[in-house]
Amino acid sequence: MNRCVLATGCVVLALIVACGCVSEPVEKAPPGTSVAPGSLSPGPTQSLPSEREIDVQIEKSGLDAMITVIFSGGKGQAAVTSIDVVVTRSDGAIFREKLPAEKLAELKIPGTKEDDRIVVSVAYNDGTSYTIIDRMLPYRTRG
């Protein structure tokens, strides 16, 4: 009986220790940025080589603060494997979305009626990635 209790206690203790060793991954900044996620301070961006140029358009509505992101294509669109969009809202909420690498693909992300930050990073089929947009999106009312 004592051995059973001792063995059960050891198993429970081992599980407790194992649970303490496993933690959630730390949120990482998108590739090419040096500013922590959740920050409302834009970081540096990178220029694309001419053969890799693509166009991503961003607009924030003055009616409902909806942020629209559109992939408009470009010379380098055939080599694009992913386009990551991260919006950090002024209320602290962070939205991470993948914009399809198809011409005229569109994302809609809810913004705030304050300044929000957007970061767009693009990855290519050779493993390189670039942060092409990192800027604030002010809310402007229409009128």
Side-chain angles (χ1 to χ4, degrees), residues 30-31 33 42-43 58 84-88 117-121 131-135:
T33 62
I58 299 166
D84 297 320
V85 178
V86 180
V87 170
T88 303
R117 177 181 175 206
I118 187 164
V119 178
V120 178
S121 300
T131 298
I132 60 171
I133 298 170
D134 189 348
R135 65 182 174 99

Side-chain angles (χ1 to χ4, degrees), residues 68-84:
T68 304
V69 184
I70 300 171
F71 177 58
S72 300
K75 274 194 227 180
Q77 74 184 33
V80 173
T81 57
S82 70
I83 303 170
D84 297 320

Side-chain angles (χ1 to χ4, degrees), residues 40-124:
L40 290 175
S41 299
T45 59
Q46 300 156 307
S47 297
L48 293 172
S50 62
E51 70 277 359
R52 299 220 167 183
E53 286 180 358
I54 61 166
D55 185 40
V56 176
Q57 298 175 8
I58 299 166
E59 181 180 303
K60 186 173 184 179
S61 170
L63 295 175
D64 59 3
M66 186 64 68
I67 299 167
T68 304
V69 184
I70 300 171
F71 177 58
S72 300
K75 274 194 227 180
Q77 74 184 33
V80 173
T81 57
S82 70
I83 303 170
D84 297 320
V85 178
V86 180
V87 170
T88 303
R89 297 183 350 172
S90 60
D91 62 6
I94 299 174
F95 290 81
R96 296 178 182 281
E97 300 285 340
K98 294 246 184 231
L99 179 63
E102 301 164 2
K103 194 167 184 176
L104 301 180
E106 182 177 298
L107 279 178
K108 294 216 180 259
I109 301 171
T112 66
K113 294 185 177 180
E114 301 291 332
D115 292 351
D116 300 319
R117 177 181 175 206
I118 187 164
V119 178
V120 178
S121 300
V122 60
Y124 290 90

